[in-house]
C-alpha cells in the first residue's frame, strides 16, 4: 500500500479505436475515487491515448484535469462539423462494405497524411513535449507498439532513460497506427505499427510500479451470446478474439507469477503477488468492427457514459466485497 494506506493500482487499457471512448468514461470515474493510488497506466492504440491523458493529469497531481483532458480529446475527435460527419459516415459505411467483400481495400500510403497530422496536433495541444523531457516513474506510463521491420514488441516507457524508447506523442501515434488506416510511424530509429499486434495492452511490465492490484479496461468482449454465421459476424468475432489474444497471454503471465510467489518458489526482486480484475464493456453492447471507426458525437458520448456506469458498478462490487470480508474477519 501507499504511505497513506491507499491501495496501489495499475490500470491497463486495451485498444479498440472509437470503442475506447468507453475507456475514457471508466478512467474518469476511477480517477474521481480518492481511495486508490493510481501508480501506473498502460495502453495500446486508443487505450494508449486514454492512458496518456490520464497519466498527464496524474503527473500534475490533478485528477480533475485528467478527466477534463479525456473529455477534450473525445470532443475534439468527434465528427461534429457537417463535412466531417459526412466523411465519418462514408468511412464507416465503406468499412462495412469491405467486411462484406464488396469493395477493394486501399493502402494508407495512397491516402493523404492529414489524418495522422491532425491526430498528432490534437495530442500535442493536450500534452506538451515538456511532459516527456525527463524520465517519469510515478506514475509510470507504458505504451505498446510493434516494430514493422524487426517484429519486436516494444513497450515505450515514461521511465526510460533512453529517449528512443521513452513515451512521446509519436510513440502514442505509433501505438494507434492501424495498418489499414495509417502508415507506419517512425520513432527513435524504429518503424512502428499498432500495438494491437504486440501487447494489447502491456500488463506484465506493470510489475515495475509495484502495484497492489492490476485493473484491466477490456474493450473486446471475451464471450459472445450466439454462434457467428454471417460473414460480417464472423469477421467481428475474429477481431474480438484476436484483440484479446495478447491480453490473455499477459494475464496468464501474471497468474503464473502469483502462483510462484504463493508457493514460495519466487521471492524478492520486482515480483510479488498481484491480483487482477477486469472492467469490461460487456457482450451485451452490440458493437461491430466498423463501429471502431465511428466518430459520431452521440455514439462516443454513449460509450463514455457506459464506461462511467461500468466503473461505478465495479467500484460498488469491490466495496461490497471488502465490507463482507471485513465482517467475516471480525
Amino acid at each position: 500500500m501507499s504511505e497513506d494506506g491507499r491501495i496501489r493500482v495499475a490500470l491497463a487499457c486495451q485498444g479498440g479505436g472509437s470503442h475506447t471512448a468507453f475507456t475514457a468514461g471508466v478512467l474518469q470515474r476511477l480517477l474521481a475515487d480518492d481511495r486508490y493510488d493510481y501508480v501506473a497506466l498502460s495502453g495500446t492504440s486508443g487505450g494508449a491515448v486514454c492512458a496518456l491523458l490520464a497519466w498527464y493529469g496524474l503527473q500534475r497531481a490533478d485528477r480533475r484535469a485528467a478527466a477534463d483532458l479525456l473529455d477534450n480529446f473525445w470532443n475534439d475527435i468527434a465528427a461534429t462539423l457537417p463535412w466531417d460527419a459526412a466523411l465519418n459516415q462514408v468511412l464507416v459505411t465503406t468499412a462495412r462494405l469491405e467486411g462484406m467483400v464488396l469493395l477493394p481495400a486501399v493502402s494508407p500510403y495512397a491516402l493523404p497524411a492529414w489524418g495522422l497530422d491532425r491526430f498528432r496536433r490534437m495530442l500535442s495541444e493536450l500534452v506538451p513535449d515538456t511532459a516527456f523531457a525527463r524520465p517519469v516513474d510515478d506514475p509510470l506510463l507504458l505504451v505498446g507498439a510493434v516494430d514493422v521491420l524487426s517484429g519486436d514488441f516494444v513497450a515505450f516507457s515514461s521511465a526510460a532513460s533512453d529517449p528512443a524508447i521513452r513515451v512521446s506523442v509519436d510513440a502514442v501515434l505509433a501505438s494507434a497506427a492501424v495498418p489499414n488506416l495509417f502508415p507506419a510511424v517512425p520513432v527513435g530509429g524504429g518503424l512502428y505499427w499498432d500495438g494491437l499486434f504486440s501487447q494489447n495492452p502491456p500488463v506484465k511490465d506493470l510489475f515495475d510500479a509495484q502495484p497492489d492490484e492490476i485493473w484491466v479496461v477490456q474493450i473486446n468482449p471475451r464471450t459472445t451470446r450466439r454462434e457467428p454465421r454471417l460473414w460480417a459476424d464472423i469477421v467481428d468475432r475474429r477481431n474480438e478474439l484476436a484483440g484479446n489474444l495478447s491480453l490473455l497471454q499477459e494475464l496468464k503471465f501474471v497468474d503464473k507469477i502469483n502462483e510462484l510467489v504463493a508457493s514460495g518458489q519466487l521471492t524478492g526482486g520486482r515480483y510479488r503477488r498481484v491480483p487482477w480484475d477486469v472492467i469490461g464493456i460487456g457482450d451485451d453492447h452490440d458493437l461491430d468492427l466498423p463501429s471502431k471507426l465511428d466518430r459520431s458525437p452521440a455514439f462516443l458520448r454513449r460509450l463514455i457514459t457506459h464506461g462511467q456506469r461500468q466503473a461505478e458498478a465495479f467500484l460498488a462490487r469491490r466495496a461490497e466485497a471488502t465490507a463482507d470480508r471485513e465482517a467475516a474477519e471480525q
Side-chain angles (χ1 to χ4, degrees):
M1 289 191 175
S2 298
E3 293 181 359
D4 57 7
R6 291 184 297 172
I7 296 174
R8 294 168 58 87
V9 176
L11 298 170
C13 305
Q14 189 180 50
S18 292
H19 293 180
T20 48
F22 167 83
T23 303
V26 170
L27 294 179
Q28 287 176 330
R29 178 60 189 90
L30 295 182
L31 292 172
D33 195 319
D34 291 328
R35 292 174 297 176
Y36 302 99
D37 183 13
Y38 300 106
V39 297
L41 298 102
S42 71
T44 292
S45 196
V49 174
C50 291
L52 167 70
L53 299 174
W55 170 82
Y56 183 51
L58 289 171
Q59 185 185 340
R60 296 159 60 194
D62 191 341
R63 294 190 179 199
R64 180 66 257 174
D68 290 343
L69 285 170
L70 288 162
D71 254 344
N72 291 341
F73 173 79
W74 288 102
N75 287 336
D76 289 346
I77 206 170
T80 53
L81 297 175
W83 68 266
D84 202 11
L87 176 61
N88 177 69
Q89 185 61 48
V90 168
L91 288 174
V92 174
T93 300
T94 300
R96 291 198 169 107
L97 292 174
E98 286 179 347
M100 292 185 287
V101 200
L102 295 178
L103 287 178
V106 178
S107 168
Y109 292 88
L111 302 174
W114 64 267
L116 189 63
D117 293 340
R118 179 191 178 195
F119 199 0
R120 178 182 286 107
R121 184 172 62 254
M122 290 169 55
L123 290 180
S124 296
E125 289 173 353
L126 295 172
V127 183
D129 288 341
T130 53
F132 317 109
R134 60 179 180 81
V136 176
D137 60 5
D138 187 18
L140 176 68
L141 175 63
L142 301 169
V143 171
V146 61
D147 190 306
V148 177
L149 302 182
S150 69
D152 292 335
F153 299 165
V154 176
F156 292 96
S157 171
S158 64
S161 56
D162 182 357
I165 55 172
R166 188 182 305 159
V167 171
S168 63
V169 165
D170 276 350
V172 174
L173 289 176
S175 180
V178 182
N180 58 331
L181 295 178
F182 300 115
V185 177
V187 183
L191 196 61
Y192 294 94
W193 264 354
D194 197 319
L196 297 173
F197 297 100
S198 55
Q199 297 167 288
N200 185 24
V203 176
K204 60 178 179 288
D205 295 310
L206 291 170
F207 277 99
D208 290 341
Q210 294 292 294
D212 297 316
E213 299 184 20
I214 294 173
W215 298 351
V216 179
V217 184
Q218 187 171 9
I219 298 299
N220 295 308
R222 184 164 182 174
T223 63
T224 187
R225 293 183 172 186
R226 60 185 182 275
E227 178 186 359
R229 290 179 176 269
L230 299 176
W231 176 250
D233 294 336
I234 292 170
V235 171
D236 289 345
R237 187 56 182 156
R238 183 181 65 185
N239 174 265
E240 291 171 351
L241 294 174
N244 283 333
L245 178 61
S246 62
L247 171 60
L248 295 178
Q249 290 174 334
E250 294 272 300
L251 293 176
K252 285 184 181 297
F253 175 89
V254 176
D255 284 339
K256 187 61 178 179
I257 292 298
N258 289 340
E259 177 186 324
L260 293 173
V261 171
S263 66
Q265 298 179 67
L266 183 62
T267 58
R270 68 193 283 246
Y271 295 118
R272 56 176 175 160
R273 185 180 179 277
V274 180
W276 56 268
D277 209 338
V278 172
I279 307 171
I281 200 168
D283 61 4
D284 57 342
H285 227 63
D286 194 14
L287 301 172
D288 62 5
L289 175 58
S291 68
K292 290 186 175 183
L293 302 175
D294 191 354
R295 295 180 295 112
S296 58
F299 178 69
L300 298 179
R301 181 51 53 186
R302 177 163 61 91
L303 285 171
I304 290 173
T305 300
H306 181 55
Q308 293 167 343
R309 290 172 178 167
Q310 289 291 88
E312 179 70 32
F314 173 83
L315 292 171
R317 288 195 302 272
R318 287 187 54 82
E320 183 179 354
T322 299
D324 290 345
R325 185 172 61 253
E326 291 175 350
E329 292 173 351
Q330 292 178 353

